[in-house]
Amino acid sequence: LICNAHLDPVWLWEWPEGAAEAISTFRVAVELCENSHTLVFNHNEAVLYEHVRLYDPSLFDRIRKQVQAGRWRIMGGWYLQPDCNMPSGESFVRLILAGREYFGRHFGARPTAAINFDPFGHSRGLVQIMAKSGFRSYLFGRPQQRHCQLPDGPFVWVGFDGSSVLARRFTGWYSTPLGKGRKTIEARISQSNNDPEAILWGVGNHGGGPSRQDARDIDAMIAQRDDVEIIHSTPEAYFADVERSQRPLPRHEGDLNPWAPGCYTSMMRVKRKHRQLENELYLTEKLASCAAANGLITYPRADLESAGKDLMFAQFHDILPGSCNAAAEDASLRLMDHGLEILDRLKARAFFAMTRTQRQAREGHIPIIVANPHPYTVEDTVECEFCLPDQCSDGTFTDVTVLGNGKPIASQIEQQHSNLALDWRKRIVFKTRLKPGSVSRFDCTLKVLNRKPAITRRPRNGFYIFKNDILDVRVNAATGLVDRYAVAGVNYLTQGAFCPLVLRDNEDPWEVSATAFGPVAGRFRLMDKTKGSRFSGLKNTIESVRVIEYGDVRT
């Protein structure tokens, strides 16, 4: 029996309520552990322990004593139960490291059985990360058999690199109804064909854990039944028994997916901001490391850790998939904005420190300074905006040439973010090689033209064609759809690709009954140029399919 209390820090509530429920649940659990010689309570998620440590230090000390006594076990050992599909591999490593560091420092604990009871499927890439992080086994709940055919019992889950962990989709569910723990456990025992078997119990979802009545009923059941050995235990003990049985186990070489595909199409703002925060964190860390290694700043460890915790919390399995309520969604966006604001200021501090010694620009030149925080040369397309010395509204157009090491390099002007009818803001795009771990300097020269050059690219035989040494792309001028996308001679798309579809949907935003969306109810069609121009609010008429940017760098 694995007694636990599933506690969502955020779901149909915001984090303060989740913190309050953690404190309440832990108080009952620690009292039961203090007064029982048999009960073992298991709990994971460092973020919830941190709530208890901050808001009820005396309770935290009581928990620590029960951990030392073996009555309370640190389970799983990650920072929280994240979505197990969308975070990057680096993020999964950090979720594990943050939990390892926290539970090691406060409890001297290092679990070897990872758990993710509630996430909506699991990427196969997790196997390699868990195995190399010291985890030998994995206990999980979803997906159900009708969504993903898995062995009925323990199995070996194999990663992309051949590494493996023992895995088990637990019987039933991670929780039991209040006051019905014994009845639920006995039903699960009767359904089990495996020896040994792991059965989870405890009131869950909004917390609760072991109730006093359930603890008494289950102890009575253990004393009365002699047909099966029933013990209060841990995930580690269960998997150790599986290994001792030495029976051959089936192997699964694939993802543990899918489940609830609707969650992966919901709350786009959360998903987009998560990816932005994830990338900004790793970029800023590298930039700050470059500046600190050169003695220009003190490495901002505390601020980066704060932004990192914002990111990890946003990866929780009821935030990132979009399964929380609207209030929790707003709070999550605010949380990620907090992390992004920290990183924005740190990035500016490191960047300006690295550019202090730059020479003054020559008369008529505008400098562009680009930092490459990576320890290797980067070949990339750089985008940036700047203002001309003065605003110009007389119809002339200022052309820009970008110089690298004093020589012109491939560049072009694109539409700036502003839509003011002035020749003032400039958006420049150029291709370059950036030196590792340092800043590179480019200078722009200006030339005034009588008018802005027109884009003259026109369709050929009904197609806009883009072709170079690698790509061969054809956009149908009549439909606006991509009819060919070939890389190195291999076409990867069928004709009419990227057509927006209308799908028949249902009332379930999670879509737990299916593994894909459909059927198709309709397809969008391109407006003709007259209707399209009017729809776009234009006085003049423009082609519905057209080239909007074209130059030496890109189309």
Side-chain angles (χ1 to χ4, degrees), residues 255 266 303-304 520:
D255 295 318
S266 301
D303 286 339
L304 287 168
V520 175

Side-chain angles (χ1 to χ4, degrees), residues 248 270 340 343 478 509 522:
V270 170
L340 285 167
L343 297 174

Side-chain angles (χ1 to χ4, degrees), residues 20 40 50 239 287 367 396 398 433 454 550:
V40 176
E50 186 61 4
F239 283 111
L287 199 61
T396 59
T398 303
R433 287 170 58 89
Y550 174 67

